[in-house]
Amino acid sequence: MVRQLVFDEPRPARPPRHLADLDAAGRASAIAELGLPAYRAKQLAQQYYGRLIADPRQMTDLPAAVRERVAEAMFPTLLTAAADVACDAGQTRKTLWRATDGTTVESVLMRYPQRNTVCISSQAGCGMACPFCATGQGGLRRNLSTAEILEQVRAGAAALRDDFGSGQRLSNVVFMGMGEPLANYARVLAAVQRIIAPPPHGFGISARSVTVSTVGLVPAIRTLADERLGVTLALSLHAPDDELRDTLVPVNTRWKVGEALAAARYYAETTGRRVSVEYALIRGVNDQAWRADLLGKRLHRALGPLVHVNLIPLNPTPGSAWDASPKPVEREFVRRVRSQGVSCTVRDTRGREISAACGQLAAAGGPAT
Ligand code: SAH
């Protein structure tokens, strides 16, 4: 401890300001503060969002004399890759990022034949305390800034373009890494806006290919619906009844299944987008036939055709006795949900062996205290 007090750099409480934290007006005033002509603001944004460059020293259309100044004022290095692991024959890659204050978060890049997805974190840790989720066990460390969220996207897009040989494009972004995105609402909203805006204002990823996943923070779901961004909402339900959901998703003690489904319906009606319902199948806990029937009935009643159920075979986490349901139980669960007229599939689980699958992200480290 003493060693750290003596040798460590002071750690900023907040990540430094970055271009990606700023909207167009903010970029304009930051450029004015630097004494640069107004058109530079658009140029920098084009480099960042359009060309995925975050280091002004590589921006050849910027006069060499100002690159250093711009780097310092607008492009601090927010995230440094501390570790990279791959699996699924190189098609899945997890990166452990270290932020300026030593906090660590993870993101996961997944290549598929028809799409490339980055799964990003919105918070370091998570305060929602779902007992089956590794991230939930460590509690919330802090919210990520908008730029810290966007840097994960930029890095994923740049890796797809540069590292896989064939100039791949990032097509999908899912907020299914660490954290509860709607508990960091303003920063996540700004990040989503810049993910979907076309360059120079954003990465230009189609809104329907962006998924915000939530435990069910009801007022925030409604607010997000009213933004009419057209992004996909995923609701982590995991149980169709309050008694069980109170224990699996503790926020259910505040907003019940019925309220979460009503908010999901509001989202679907307001945006015209089908809502995804996430359901981690846990052996002997939430995989009973009667729960499948109840799930199908409640979803059909609340959302009709405007819902799709994603069953996630539980990814075991350290220290938990829980396991995934056996395949025959899983198949029967799917059949029963479908027989209520609700669309339902089982999610393919990428990254299990590198602890990069749903609910397994639990970055070690962070600020020593
Ligand atoms: N806080 C957001 C994002 C969490 S991660 C949310 O709760 O939706 C995305 C999904 O993975 C959520 O549905 C989450 O419940 C699920 N998940 C968490 N731990 C899991 C595990 N061990 N196995 C399978 N899915 C898990």
Side-chain angles (χ1 to χ4, degrees):
M1 289 305 112
V2 171
R3 222 192 81 220
Q4 268 163 359
L5 287 176
V6 175
F7 292 111
D8 275 10
E9 299 275 322
R11 293 189 159 112
R14 249 165 227 266
R17 183 188 70 175
H18 186 282
L19 173 113
D21 287 314
L22 306 172
D23 60 12
R27 295 193 298 262
S29 52
I31 279 297
E33 273 168 36
L34 284 175
L36 296 174
Y39 71 89
R40 294 284 180 212
K42 185 170 170 193
Q43 198 178 35
L44 292 175
Q46 179 61 40
Q47 287 279 5
Y48 182 80
Y49 293 109
R51 303 190 58 200
L52 310 174
I53 295 176
D55 181 359
R57 295 162 199 97
Q58 293 166 17
M59 297 177 184
T60 49
D61 56 358
L62 200 61
V66 302
R67 287 180 199 168
E68 207 60 49
R69 208 146 43 93
V70 170
E72 206 169 293
M74 296 177 80
F75 292 92
T77 302
L78 295 179
L79 299 179
T80 308
D84 244 332
V85 270
C87 73
D88 302 323
Q91 303 298 288
T92 303
R93 187 160 100 182
K94 178 175 80 169
T95 305
L96 172 71
W97 300 103
R98 196 174 302 288
T100 48
D101 62 351
T103 305
T104 51
V105 293
E106 296 179 330
S107 66
V108 183
L109 197 54
M110 289 162 283
R111 290 189 63 200
Y112 299 90
Q114 305 300 332
R115 66 182 195 278
N116 294 308
T117 301
V118 68
C119 174
I120 58 172
S121 296
S122 56
Q123 298 182 310
C126 185
M128 298 298 123
C130 302
F132 55 90
C133 174
T135 309
Q137 306 319 295
L140 177 65
R141 229 177 246 139
R142 69 166 169 83
N143 284 320
L144 297 189
S145 67
T146 295
E148 286 173 324
I149 296 168
L150 290 171
E151 272 291 276
Q152 299 169 64
V153 178
R154 186 195 60 81
L160 284 162
R161 181 190 61 191
D162 302 336
D163 300 354
F164 290 95
S166 48
Q168 293 281 318
R169 273 186 70 84
L170 178 66
S171 56
N172 294 64
V173 178
V174 298
F175 284 81
M176 293 189 181
M178 304 170 78
E180 166 51 41
L182 297 189
N184 185 15
Y185 189 86
R187 296 177 192 91
V188 165
L189 175 65
V192 169
Q193 286 166 333
R194 283 164 215 151
I195 289 168
I196 64 180
H201 299 294
F203 294 115
I205 291 168
S206 147
R208 61 183 52 232
S209 306
V210 175
T211 301
V212 175
S213 183
T214 178
V215 287
L217 304 186
V218 162
I221 291 175
R222 291 175 182 272
T223 309
L224 185 67
D226 291 336
E227 316 276 359
R228 293 173 194 270
L229 298 171
V231 298
T232 302
L233 179 76
L235 171 65
S236 297
L237 200 61
H238 306 311
D241 54 302
D242 287 319
E243 194 185 351
L244 180 59
R245 194 168 190 264
D246 280 349
T247 68
L248 293 180
V249 185
V251 78
N252 196 71
T253 57
R254 177 87 184 271
W255 292 291
K256 298 293 175 194
V257 172
E259 293 168 276
L261 293 181
R265 182 197 178 112
Y266 180 76
Y267 191 91
E269 282 175 345
T270 309
T271 63
R273 304 280 307 138
R274 203 159 74 150
V275 170
S276 290
V277 162
E278 312 290 298
Y279 197 105
L281 266 188
I282 314 174
R283 182 202 291 256
V285 173
N286 64 354
D287 62 355
Q288 302 83 356
W290 71 266
R291 281 207 163 89
D293 296 342
L294 182 61
L295 178 68
K297 282 202 185 92
R298 291 197 79 167
L299 291 181
H300 186 71
R301 207 179 314 130
L303 287 143
L306 289 172
V307 67
H308 175 83
V309 177
N310 267 314
L311 295 178
I312 316 170
L314 184 86
N315 293 300
T317 57
S320 165
W322 287 336
D323 201 359
S325 304
K327 285 290 157 192
V329 173
E330 182 184 285
R331 278 194 291 274
E332 178 63 6
F333 201 94
V334 172
R335 195 191 65 74
R336 284 177 178 264
V337 172
R338 285 183 180 160
S339 74
Q340 300 296 332
V342 171
S343 129
C344 176
T345 50
V346 178
R347 173 174 301 163
D348 104 300
T349 51
R350 284 287 188 96
R352 291 183 73 149
E353 66 264 41
I354 54 169
S355 295
C358 296
Q360 292 186 314
L361 301 184
T369 44

